[in-house]
Each structure stands twice: as C-alpha cells, then as structure tokens.
C-alpha cells in the first residue's frame, strides 16, 4: 500500500512519541489500516482522531512493510455523543472491538458497512433500545466474518428448524426447547430478534449481549485484550442501569 486515499472510520488511537499518534482506521475496501499521524496529539487533531469519527484518510508508505504516514481530514464528527455516557460507551466498545479483533489490511466490507450503521444508529436513536439490537447483530456478524459464526439454522440435538430458543456454548449451534429439556441452565438463551429480525425487548437485548459476549471472549478477545473487554463491561453495566 504505497499510497491510498479513502474514507475511513477511526477505531483506535494511541500516542506515539512526543507529539504524534498511531491511528487504526477501518476502510471500506482495505480493512483495518494503521498509520502514523504527525502532530496527532495536537489541539487541532485531537477532535478529529476520535473513535467513531469518519475521516478522509491519506496513507503513504515507501514499502509494504513500513508503517504508513497518515493525514486525515474530518468528514463527519460524532464528538458530541462522547459527552453522553451511554452513547459514548457504545462507540468506545464497538470501535475498540473492531480495532482489537480484525487483522490488518484484510478487506471486510460488510463489517465496515455494519459498523457505520451501528454508529449511525447510536447517533440517531433517542434511546439505547434503538441501537442496542444493531450492536448485538454487529457482534454476531464480526464473529461470523472471523470464522467463529454461530449456527442458528436448526437444532443441533433434534434437527428441527423451529422453536429455537438456546445456543450451546460448546458447539455454538442452536438448540430447540425440546432439545434443551433438562439442560436449559447449561445453555445460552437465544433472543427471538436474532432469528426473526426486527427490534427486541430489553430482556432479549441483554440475552443477545450475553450470547455474543461469551463467544467473543472465548474465541476472539483472548490474552492481551483484557482492556477491550473492560470497555464492553462498562457498556453492559450502563445499559443495565439505564433499564433498571
């Protein structure tokens, strides 16, 4: 990638040197890309390099192996949402998850579109219930894109395709009520909205977050990513308090 100009979503930023920053951006066609922003910690650049913001990005590198130099221009700011605890937690988690989970320079156009949709829903919805379902679906899609998808097509125990109500934590496959009889407490609840579409109630949303959270922690966010899981815990805690 000697040179690339593209729209991108800011997913993560960390300080580098005295004044610079390394930003990781999700692009539509080239996946997650890192770049060094000269002066990235300056007063002018800090409001631009915020997770969730959309930027016009220009990457330049002499070789494929070299960390690209990166210049960014703000295209759409979501900074006002970061002053609100619940939307801020949703943006922080969804962007941190993306930055931690995806390999670099691997195209994931469906994830770019879905993340942009989640962030847009957080921005547009008057209440968390309006975007929480989209967030659960994004997590489910990310698992699938990384090869850890759940099989929600039919019951792993009986073969039935109806009355699916649980997911096996061992096989990541759906289980019907009949197939789960006597083992319900060993299984993860499967919220109806993941099968039927549409919106979910708060119980279903929290079940959905438990479901995706279990598989994200087991298969994706291992070892060095404990800080990323902390961002998810903050989000779930704030959602619980919001509906209490």
């Amino acid at each position: 990638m000697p040179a690339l100009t593209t729209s991108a979503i800011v997913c993560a930023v960390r300080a580098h040197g005295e004044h610079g920053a390394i930003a990781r951006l999700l692009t539509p066609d080239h996946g997650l890309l890192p770049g060094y922003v000269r002066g990235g910690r300056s007063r002018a650049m800090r409001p631009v390099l915020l997770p969730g913001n959309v930027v016009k990005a220009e990457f330049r590198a002499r070789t494929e192996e070299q960390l690209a130099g990166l210049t960014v221009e703000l295209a759409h700011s979501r900074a006002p949402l970061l002053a609100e605890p619940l939307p801020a937690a949703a943006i922080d988690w969804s962007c941190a998850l993306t930055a931690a989970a995806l390999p670099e320079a691997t195209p994931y156009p469906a994830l770019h579109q879905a993340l942009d949709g989640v962030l847009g829903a957080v921005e547009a919805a008057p209440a968390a219930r309006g975007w929480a379902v989209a967030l659960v679906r994004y997590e489910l899609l990310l698992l699938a894109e990384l090869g850890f998808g759940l099989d929600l097509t039919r019951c792993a125990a009986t073969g039935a395709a109806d009355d699916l109500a649980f997911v096996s934590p061992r096989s990541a496959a759906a289980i019907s009520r009949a197939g789960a009889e006597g083992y319900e407490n060993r299984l993860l609840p499967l919220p109806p909205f993941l099968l039927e579409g549409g919106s979910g109630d708060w119980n279903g949303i929290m079940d959905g977050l438990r479901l995706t959270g279990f598989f994200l922690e087991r298969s994706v966010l291992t070892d060095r990513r404990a800080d990323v899981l902390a961002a998810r815990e903050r989000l779930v805690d704030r959602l619980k308090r919001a509906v209490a």
Side-chain angles (χ1 to χ4, degrees), residues 43-87:
R43 182 177 298 179
M45 290 305 302
R46 281 199 300 268
V48 177
L49 291 175
L50 291 174
N53 280 356
V54 179
V55 297
K56 179 182 178 183
E58 184 176 355
F59 296 87
R60 291 190 175 275
R62 291 190 180 91
T63 67
E64 293 287 344
E65 295 75 23
Q66 182 187 40
L67 178 65
L70 172 62
T71 58
V72 294
E73 178 183 332
L74 184 64
H76 180 71
S77 175
R78 295 189 169 103
L81 294 171
L82 301 181
E84 303 177 36
L86 202 43

Side-chain angles (χ1 to χ4, degrees), residues 72-148:
V72 294
E73 178 183 332
L74 184 64
H76 180 71
S77 175
R78 295 189 169 103
L81 294 171
L82 301 181
E84 303 177 36
L86 202 43
I91 292 172
D92 183 37
W93 158 245
S94 57
C95 291
L97 168 64
T98 304
L102 300 189
E104 292 178 356
T106 303
Y108 290 100
L111 283 177
H112 178 275
Q113 183 177 9
L115 178 60
D116 191 54
V118 170
L119 296 171
V122 173
E123 192 171 19
R129 189 174 164 186
W131 51 257
V133 165
L135 178 59
V136 174
R137 290 199 177 106
Y138 177 69
E139 294 178 349
L140 200 64
L141 175 63
L142 185 141
L143 284 163
E145 291 281 304
L146 293 178
F148 302 107

